[in-house]
Amino acid sequence: MSFTIEERGRPNTQEYRVFFKNSEGNYISPFHDIPVYANEAENVFHAVVEVPRWTNAKMEIATKDPLNPLKQDVKKGNLRFVANVFPHKGYIWNYGAIPQTWEDPNHKDSDTGCCGDNDPIDICDIGNKVCSRGEVIKVKVLGTLALIDEGETDWKVIVINTEDPQAGDFNDIDDVRRLKPGYLEATFDWFKRYKVPDGKPENQFAFNGEFKDRDFAIATVKSTHEFWKALISQKTNAGELNCMNSSVSDSPFCCSAGDAEAVVKSVSFLFSHADLRVDKWFYYEK
């Protein structure tokens, strides 16, 4: 199973979009059409890379747009870039999401006491390869961090690309501590402080910021897959989310290949100037 991307517009503009195609060349939704599992028996998951390591543009699956292309987040009319909070440069992992998952905003998590953030579950790929924007990778789940983002549960699942040469050495969160010392501490620090340059307070965490292990993380991913199943079958209210898909045959939102192509062709874009506010360091005293 392979996937390709098609870019529309110019990067670092509000019109820029990254659409996805399957191996037959048909347009698909990265949210709904890419299977959650790459190998269910071995708990290997697919992940969509939204933000390659060391880059700053806050790209994300556009959950409210037809076919859910990647686009850059906009806040108060401006493109969103993550600040370089010293000593970090951009994102310190390949950052993305697991398809066919959904953190239900109507479900209060029994562990965190907060509801979901209405997005697919996030991943941080700690592999050595710097992936490409829109790349679909196969990942092993190692653990998770429970970020509480403005009162919502926002799981950050720690994974490693199965094609990484060291993937066989990583099977649980303690392997990350042992083989990549300092990486988990840097990850916690990154998520704690990345919004401070925007004038917001430090983020909070459930479990006192403790990373939970592989089994806990896999159970969390699987629970968000169940929430997605209810979403795509219209057993729960989608709200503003767009559930258009081309492969979930029993979904009332399933569309034809022609309908999907029409969505992409209808997207217009302007040749606007790119916004490149990505090189400045931000320092602040802890």
Side-chain angles (χ1 to χ4, degrees):
M1 184 176 291
S2 62
F3 306 94
T4 56
I5 62 168
E6 181 176 306
E7 297 174 283
R8 293 291 182 104
R10 185 182 181 190
N12 301 309
T13 67
Q14 293 192 24
E15 295 79 27
Y16 178 63
R17 299 290 186 275
V18 179
F19 288 94
F20 288 73
K21 290 182 175 181
N22 61 17
S23 54
E24 286 77 45
N26 296 322
Y27 292 103
I28 62 169
S29 160
F31 187 3
H32 305 301
D33 288 316
I34 297 174
V36 61
Y37 292 108
N39 185 325
E40 185 173 1
E42 297 184 9
N43 285 315
V44 176
F45 298 87
H46 282 120
V48 177
V49 176
E50 298 165 311
V51 188
R53 187 166 78 234
W54 297 326
T55 64
N56 301 71
K58 182 72 170 70
M59 299 294 296
E60 58 187 17
I61 293 172
T63 57
K64 299 176 183 177
D65 294 359
L67 291 183
N68 317 115
L70 299 188
K71 70 177 183 181
Q72 191 166 350
D73 190 23
V74 175
K75 294 286 186 182
K76 298 180 180 178
N78 296 312
L79 290 171
R80 188 173 170 198
F81 294 89
V82 167
N84 299 309
V85 181
F86 188 82
H88 308 305
K89 171 64 178 78
Y91 286 70
I92 62 173
W93 349 254
N94 297 302
Y95 187 76
I98 296 178
Q100 295 188 340
T101 63
W102 179 51
E103 297 192 54
D104 186 349
N106 300 305
H107 171 78
K108 180 177 285 190
D109 188 276
S110 59
D111 291 309
T112 67
C114 298
C115 294
D117 70 349
N118 206 30
D119 284 324
I121 199 166
D122 297 321
I123 62 98
C124 302
D125 164 41
I126 66 167
N128 291 310
K129 176 185 175 182
V130 177
C131 292
S132 303
R133 179 180 294 161
E135 188 171 347
V136 180
I137 59 177
K138 299 174 183 180
V139 300
K140 293 169 64 174
V141 168
L142 304 174
T144 189
L145 180 66
L147 175 67
I148 305 301
D149 190 352
E150 298 181 16
E152 297 175 332
T153 303
D154 189 4
W155 295 103
K156 306 299 181 184
V157 182
I158 309 302
V159 305
I160 190 167
N161 190 334
T162 58
E163 294 184 359
D164 190 278
Q166 292 182 295
D169 298 328
F170 289 84
N171 297 294
D172 212 326
I173 198 68
D174 285 338
D175 295 324
V176 184
R177 291 193 179 92
R178 179 171 57 88
L179 297 172
K180 292 181 181 278
Y183 209 165
L184 294 182
E185 291 81 0
T187 295
F188 174 82
D189 182 71
W190 195 98
F191 280 117
K192 181 178 181 180
R193 300 194 290 151
Y194 81 102
K195 290 187 176 181
V196 171
D198 298 325
K200 294 186 177 181
E202 294 180 345
N203 278 322
Q204 303 299 310
F205 302 85
F207 310 110
N208 294 316
E210 172 192 353
F211 286 83
K212 307 301 286 185
D213 66 13
R214 170 186 180 272
D215 290 344
F216 185 101
I218 288 175
T220 300
V221 172
K222 289 184 174 182
S223 71
T224 61
H225 179 52
E226 294 302 315
F227 293 138
W228 172 84
K229 285 182 180 179
L231 175 71
I232 204 68
S233 61
Q234 212 172 17
K235 293 178 181 177
T236 190
N237 183 14
E240 295 182 342
L241 297 181
N242 194 300
C243 296
M244 184 179 187
N245 69 86
S246 60
S247 66
V248 188
S249 57
D250 58 348
S251 167
F253 306 104
C254 192
C255 71
S256 67
D259 290 338
E261 185 174 4
V263 166
V264 179
K265 288 185 174 180
S266 70
V267 174
S268 60
F269 56 89
L270 304 172
F271 288 97
S272 54
H273 292 291
D275 187 336
L276 293 172
R277 294 170 288 117
V278 297
D279 295 325
K280 182 180 179 181
W281 286 114
F282 178 84
Y283 302 86
Y284 95 108
E285 193 171 340
K286 297 181 182 180

